[in-house]
Amino acid sequence: MAVERSNLFSMMKLSIKGLIQSSLSLGRTLDSDYPPLQQFFVVLEQCLKHGLKVKKSFINQNKSIWGPLELVQKLCPDSTDITTSARDLPGIKTGLGRARAWLHLALMQKKLSDYLKALLDNKYLLVEFYDPGALMMEEEGTVIGGMLVGLNVIDANLCIKGEDLDSQVGVIDFSLYLKDPMTTETTKDFYPYTIDTKMTAILDQKHYIEELNRHLSCSVSDLQAKMDSIEKTNGKLIEELTAATDRINSLREEQETLRHENETIVQSNQKKEEVTLEDSAVELETYRQTRQGLDEMYSVVWKQYQEEKRIRQELERELELQVGLKQEMEMAMRLLEKDTHEKQDTLQALRQQLDQVKTLNLQMFHKTQDCEREAQRKQEEEGQLEEKINQMKTTIKEMEQRSRGYTHTHRRCDPLPCLPRLGLESDLCSEKEQRQAIQRALQREQDNSTELRTQLQQIQGLHTELQDVRQEKQQLQQTCQEQETALQEMGLHLSQSKLKMEDFKEVNKALKGQAWLKDDEATQCKQCQKEFSIARRKHHCRNCGDIYCNSCSSNELALPSYPRPVRVCDICHSLLLQRSSSSS
């Protein structure tokens, strides 16, 4: 591998050098037919193939350089155009052909060295495609990438569409690199060395010849393998040909036997055809007769269909009315529930107010009883005090009369002896003391009378307050009676609304629970279990939605979801009658 690497490196140097010299000497744009350019692509292809891993498959071994070149698209976004164009070129089916087209396009862009340099800078990506020791994995690949920079001075105009890039056989022409006087002069111009340059040229020519021999041996081995595969396929095709000829002979024999069988079948079919013609004539007559009967039945069925269609339209209209009524009832139920909640709240508030009024009435009643008892007690005390005052007045008058009579008799009579006089003075003193005591008692009684008068005034005020309280009590009793009557009326309204709500709930249940059975689902009457026919028609019960015959659903009742009496079955008829009688 090291020898091959060095030979390829030397050939690459010579091909790049010769291409640059020849293009500069010509001084024109190079095309795809230019031999040095063709040899350059062949040598570059061999360098890229060196050490390439072989991808084995069931058919053959694939060794393509398109895989590593396709990675350049990820590393250099500028190469996206040439990669997509090489991938989508018509007429190119193999990866080798796409790789050759990519190299041509990169050279025309003058970016071949940049792309290969980017690929060689990321050698960890090439591990998947190349073996260790390959030219692209060693330093020679980096040197080749640097030498390719010199190709940017070349203008190339290459046509790719018309060329067969898949099946080209790359053969290195060493005659272009053999030394002649012309080339020695040019080498002297480029390499101003003497002995070393000649030695390197001879070694390069040796390497070229070795590489040519290796390439030719590889091509011979490939051609030998192709010849072996072709011989194998040829043997297989011969075997298949013999098998096919045997098969053709057997098919011919089968064809002869089938032809005889076909003739016998044709004869038997002719006989059968005559019999079937006679049978078909008879069947045609019977068909005509049955067709007349079917036409009559069809007319009858058509009339029934029209009638059923009309009934179905009526039912659909009734269903729309039911849906509208159901929505209205749901709205009414919501409003009734809202009104009942509000009325219950007001009823609770009125009951609380009524309880408060009752407690106030009891308090006022107790207060009035206490005031009445106090007033009676004060009146009794006032009467007692008036009696005491009258008694005291009479005693005062008596005392005054006695005092007056005593002074009058004292003036008229002669003076008595000293002893009786002293007794009179003592009596007079005692009378004075009694008088003073009576005056003090009178003063106290007067004070008591004033206090009693004030208390009497207070009692009169309490009487007025009592009268006001009684009036308030009467007013409160009236308001309480009015509230009780209002509560009774509200209770009646609530009971009526609850009854209405129950009716609405029953109607809603009937509407929700009503499952309208389809005509196709019922084949017999639900009650009498008789099969339906043209004579025994199907009828829906508007309450339960099931299908009955005419005899089992001949009753009619007014339902809440219908504006007029509708058909109901016998079972629903009896249930609805029982419900209406129990509710009444």
Side-chain angles (χ1 to χ4, degrees):
M1 186 173 282
V3 172
E4 291 176 358
R5 187 169 65 244
S6 62
N7 291 336
L8 288 171
F9 178 66
S10 301
M11 283 190 292
M12 195 69 206
K13 285 196 296 183
L14 285 173
S15 63
I16 293 170
K17 180 181 173 183
L19 181 61
I20 292 170
Q21 289 177 358
S22 60
S23 63
L24 290 174
S25 62
L26 288 172
R28 61 182 178 83
T29 303
L30 303 180
D31 53 3
S32 58
D33 296 332
Y34 190 58
L37 185 61
Q38 291 179 354
Q39 289 299 311
F40 166 73
F41 281 123
V42 171
V43 175
L44 182 60
E45 182 181 339
Q46 294 297 327
C47 291
L48 292 172
K49 282 183 178 180
H50 184 260
L52 190 67
K53 290 182 180 179
V54 179
K55 292 184 179 179
K56 295 181 179 181
S57 63
F58 292 105
I59 301 170
N60 56 4
Q61 295 180 353
N62 188 9
K63 193 174 183 180
S64 175
I65 59 175
W66 174 242
L69 293 179
E70 203 173 5
L71 294 174
V72 181
Q73 185 179 0
K74 298 179 181 178
L75 301 174
C76 296
D78 297 336
S79 65
T80 306
D81 297 333
I82 62 171
T83 306
T84 53
S85 60
R87 190 185 294 116
D88 299 334
L89 274 174
I92 297 176
K93 299 178 182 179
T94 61
L96 183 61
R98 295 189 185 94
R100 288 169 177 171
W102 187 89
L103 292 172
H104 284 69
L105 292 171
L107 183 64
M108 283 192 287
Q109 278 189 347
K110 296 183 179 182
K111 289 185 179 180
L112 181 60
S113 61
D114 297 335
Y115 295 155
L116 290 179
K117 187 176 182 299
L119 189 63
L120 292 168
D121 290 340
N122 298 278
K123 288 184 179 179
Y124 63 93
L125 297 173
L126 299 175
V127 176
E128 183 182 355
F129 300 98
Y130 288 99
D131 293 325
L135 180 66
M136 296 295 288
M137 300 296 290
E138 299 296 331
E139 293 181 358
E140 285 85 349
T142 308
V143 175
I144 290 170
M147 287 191 298
L148 290 173
V149 178
L151 297 178
N152 293 336
V153 299
I154 298 173
D155 294 329
N157 187 9
L158 308 176
C159 184
I160 302 169
K161 288 185 179 180
E163 295 185 2
D164 187 9
L165 299 176
D166 291 331
S167 60
Q168 283 184 0
V169 179
V171 179
I172 300 173
D173 188 6
F174 292 97
S175 62
L176 297 172
Y177 310 113
L178 294 175
K179 298 297 180 180
D180 54 1
M182 193 70 173
T183 55
T184 54
E185 290 178 1
T186 56
T187 53
K188 286 178 183 179
D189 294 332
F190 278 90
Y191 298 99
Y193 305 100
T194 57
I195 300 169
D196 294 335
T197 55
K198 290 180 180 180
M199 288 297 293
T200 54
I202 291 167
L203 289 172
D204 289 338
Q205 289 179 1
K206 179 187 176 184
H207 293 324
Y208 287 148
I209 293 166
E210 289 177 355
E211 183 63 25
L212 179 61
N213 291 327
R214 187 186 64 81
H215 184 70
L216 289 173
S217 63
C218 290
S219 61
V220 167
S221 62
D222 293 336
L223 291 171
Q224 188 66 33
K226 287 182 180 179
M227 285 293 294
D228 294 336
S229 64
I230 289 167
E231 286 177 356
K232 289 179 181 178
T233 53
N234 193 9
K236 289 180 181 179
L237 289 172
I238 291 168
E239 291 176 357
E240 289 178 357
L241 181 63
T242 54
T245 52
D246 296 336
R247 181 67 178 168
I248 289 167
N249 293 325
S250 63
L251 288 173
R252 284 176 181 174
E253 292 176 357
E254 289 179 358
Q255 186 178 6
E256 290 294 330
T257 55
L258 289 172
R259 188 178 294 168
H260 292 297
E261 289 178 357
N262 191 12
E263 290 176 356
T264 55
I265 289 167
V266 166
Q267 292 176 0
S268 62
N269 285 331
Q270 287 177 357
K271 293 178 181 179
K272 288 180 181 179
E273 187 178 357
E274 293 176 357
V275 175
T276 51
L277 284 172
E278 294 175 357
D279 295 336
S280 61
V282 176
E283 287 177 357
L284 182 62
E285 187 66 26
T286 54
Y287 171 73
R288 287 174 182 173
Q289 294 177 359
T290 52
R291 180 64 184 271
Q292 292 177 357
L294 288 172
D295 290 336
E296 294 175 356
M297 289 176 67
Y298 177 73
S299 61
V300 174
V301 170
W302 180 254
K303 290 178 182 177
Q304 290 179 358
Y305 170 72
Q306 294 292 332
E307 185 68 22
E308 290 289 337
K309 188 176 180 181
R310 184 181 60 78
I311 293 167
R312 184 176 179 182
Q313 291 176 356
E314 291 178 357
L315 291 173
E316 286 178 353
R317 288 194 291 271
E318 289 178 359
L319 183 61
E320 290 176 357
L321 289 172
Q322 287 178 8
V323 171
L325 289 170
K326 182 181 177 182
Q327 293 176 355
E328 291 177 358
M329 280 191 288
E330 287 178 354
M331 290 294 293
M333 285 176 68
R334 290 174 185 169
L335 293 172
L336 281 172
E337 287 177 355
K338 188 176 180 182
D339 292 335
T340 52
H341 289 306
E342 291 177 355
K343 287 179 180 179
Q344 285 177 359
D345 295 334
T346 53
L347 185 61
Q348 289 177 358
L350 289 171
R351 283 177 180 170
Q352 291 176 0
Q353 291 178 2
L354 184 61
D355 294 334
Q356 292 176 0
V357 169
K358 285 181 180 179
T359 53
L360 289 172
N361 285 329
L362 289 170
Q363 291 176 2
M364 295 300 292
F365 180 71
H366 293 304
K367 284 183 180 180
T368 50
Q369 285 182 354
D370 295 335
C371 291
E372 286 177 355
R373 286 195 293 271
E374 188 70 26
Q376 288 178 1
R377 188 174 62 77
K378 294 289 183 181
Q379 285 177 1
E380 291 176 357
E381 290 178 355
E382 187 180 359
Q384 292 175 2
L385 289 171
E386 285 178 355
E387 289 177 359
K388 287 182 181 180
I389 290 167
N390 291 326
Q391 289 176 2
M392 291 177 73
K393 283 180 180 180
T394 52
T395 53
I396 289 167
K397 286 178 182 180
E398 288 177 357
M399 292 295 290
E400 285 178 354
Q401 287 176 4
R402 287 175 67 183
S403 65
R404 286 174 185 172
Y406 177 75
T407 55
H408 183 69
T409 56
H410 183 69
R411 286 175 184 174
R412 284 185 180 179
C413 292
D414 292 331
L416 294 170
C418 292
L419 290 170
R421 188 173 180 181
L422 289 169
L424 289 170
E425 286 178 357
S426 62
D427 291 335
L428 184 61
C429 289
S430 61
E431 287 292 334
K432 282 181 179 179
E433 289 175 0
Q434 289 179 358
R435 188 174 181 180
Q436 289 175 359
I438 289 167
Q439 285 178 355
R440 285 194 296 272
L442 181 61
Q443 188 66 33
R444 285 197 299 273
E445 292 295 332
Q446 286 177 357
D447 293 335
N448 290 326
S449 65
T450 54
E451 288 177 0
L452 289 170
R453 283 172 184 170
T454 55
Q455 289 178 0
L456 184 62
Q457 289 176 359
Q458 291 177 359
I459 288 166
Q460 288 177 357
L462 289 170
H463 274 295
T464 55
E465 288 179 359
L466 181 62
Q467 289 177 358
D468 293 335
V469 168
R470 285 177 179 172
Q471 289 177 359
E472 288 179 359
K473 182 182 176 183
Q474 289 177 357
Q475 291 177 0
L476 288 171
Q477 285 178 353
Q478 288 178 359
T479 54
C480 183
Q481 289 177 358
E482 289 175 357
Q483 288 175 357
E484 285 179 354
T485 53
L487 285 171
Q488 289 177 358
E489 290 176 357
M490 286 179 69
L492 290 172
H493 287 300
L494 276 172
S495 61
Q496 291 176 0
S497 63
K498 282 182 180 178
L499 290 172
K500 287 180 180 178
M501 280 183 68
E502 288 177 357
D503 293 337
F504 283 130
K505 283 179 181 178
E506 287 179 357
V507 171
N508 195 10
K509 280 181 182 178
L511 288 172
K512 287 181 179 178
Q514 180 178 349
W516 196 261
L517 193 65
K518 295 182 180 179
D519 292 337
D520 299 335
E521 295 178 358
T523 57
Q524 59 185 4
C525 178
K526 189 177 180 181
Q527 187 173 353
C528 63
Q529 303 296 325
K530 292 181 180 179
E531 294 288 337
F532 292 115
S533 62
I534 297 172
R536 187 178 290 103
R537 292 173 58 194
K538 301 177 183 179
H539 298 281
H540 278 90
C541 176
R542 300 301 188 272
N543 187 38
C544 62
D546 290 326
I547 296 176
Y548 298 88
C549 62
N550 188 20
S551 60
C552 297
S553 61
S554 59
N555 301 306
E556 288 187 355
L557 274 178
L559 297 177
S561 57
Y562 290 93
R564 55 187 178 82
V566 291
R567 182 188 292 269
V568 293
C569 63
D570 296 339
I571 300 169
C572 294
H573 184 261
S574 60
L575 288 173
L576 291 171
L577 288 177
Q578 289 177 3
R579 187 182 294 172
S580 62
S581 62
S582 62
S583 62
S584 62

